[in-house]
Amino acid sequence: MTKNKIFKWIQIISIFASAFMLSRYSHAFLTINETAEILPENYYRLGVAPQLIVSDGGGFNVGVYADAHIIDDLDGRITMGGGETDFWTQASVKWVPFPDVEKQPAMGGRAAIIYARDEDHNLTGVQLTPLFSKKADTRYGNMIPYAGLPITWFSGNSSYVSSQFTVGAEWFPTEDKHIGAEFNLNLDNSLSSVSVYFSFPFEGSTGYKKY
C-alpha cells in the first residue's frame, strides 16, 4: 500500500471518527417535550425537563424552557440546558392549523433553530417536526398523548441529518400543574432518551393562574 493510499485511509477514518464524536455529543438534548396544543391567548408557561440518555453510553441532561402564545394558532418556546452536552439552546415556534376537535387530533408542526457546544465542538442546526396529539379523559385526570418525527439538519465540522421518533404524553393532575413524559428513539445519527418535564402556566396580567 502506497503512502498516498495510507494517507487517504487515515483521512476517511478521521472523518468517520469526527462524525461519531459529533453524534455522541450533539444529539443528547434533542427532545420535543410538548404536545400539539396551543396555549390560550395571553398565557405563558415556565418549565424544567430532566433527560436520561439510554443509548451510546448513557448520560444525563436538564433543560429549562419558557413557552408563550404568539397569535392564533402559533406558540413560541425558548430552551436552554446542559449536562452530558456542555450547553445548548433552542428557539422554536409551533404552528397548529388543525386543532383537536371531535375525532380529529391536533395536527401541526414545530420548527427550531439550535445551537450546541460540547468540549471543542460547536454545532448549529435547524429542526422540523410534524406533531400530532389527542386529548383523553382518564380517571386520573386529563391527558394528551402525542407523537412527532423530529428531523434536524446540523452543520459544524461536518454537515449531516439526524432523525428520531418521538412519543409522549402530558398529564394534568391539577389545572395549574402539568407533568409530561417522553421517549425519543434514534432513527439515524441520533440518540435514544427518556425525559420528563414539569410546566407551570401563567396569565400575562394576573400571574400564576389555572386555565
Side-chain angles (χ1 to χ4, degrees), residues 70-186:
I70 300 174
I71 187 172
D72 296 335
D73 48 13
L74 198 68
D75 280 359
R77 170 176 285 196
I78 295 176
T79 306
M80 63 179 61
E84 181 68 18
T85 304
D86 288 342
F87 172 79
W88 80 87
T89 185
Q90 276 192 30
S92 65
V93 291
K94 179 173 62 176
W95 179 52
V96 184
F98 304 102
D100 183 344
V101 293
E102 297 180 352
K103 295 184 179 181
Q104 174 186 287
M107 298 180 289
R110 182 178 185 271
I113 298 173
I114 302 167
Y115 169 76
R117 184 184 72 245
D118 197 280
E119 296 180 351
D120 59 344
H121 300 298
N122 290 277
L123 286 176
T124 57
V126 175
Q127 183 185 78
L128 298 178
T129 306
L131 193 59
F132 308 88
S133 68
K134 183 65 180 171
K135 296 176 183 176
D137 292 327
T138 74
R139 60 183 299 181
Y140 303 107
N142 293 328
M143 185 176 292
I144 306 179
Y146 63 93
L149 185 67
I151 300 174
T152 311
W153 289 264
F154 276 109
S155 63
N157 294 346
S158 63
S159 299
Y160 54 97
V161 178
S162 167
S163 61
Q164 296 173 296
F165 173 70
T166 295
V167 62
E170 190 168 4
W171 176 45
F172 302 82
T174 62
E175 291 184 356
D176 58 343
K177 297 178 181 65
H178 309 165
I179 302 172
E182 180 174 295
F183 174 68
N184 289 278
L185 176 66
N186 173 24

Side-chain angles (χ1 to χ4, degrees), residues 30-50:
L30 291 183
T31 55
I32 302 302
N33 289 336
E34 61 178 324
T35 71
E37 289 294 307
I38 294 294
L39 290 172
E41 186 176 355
N42 204 33
Y43 273 78
Y44 62 95
R45 298 196 304 176
L46 302 178
V48 59

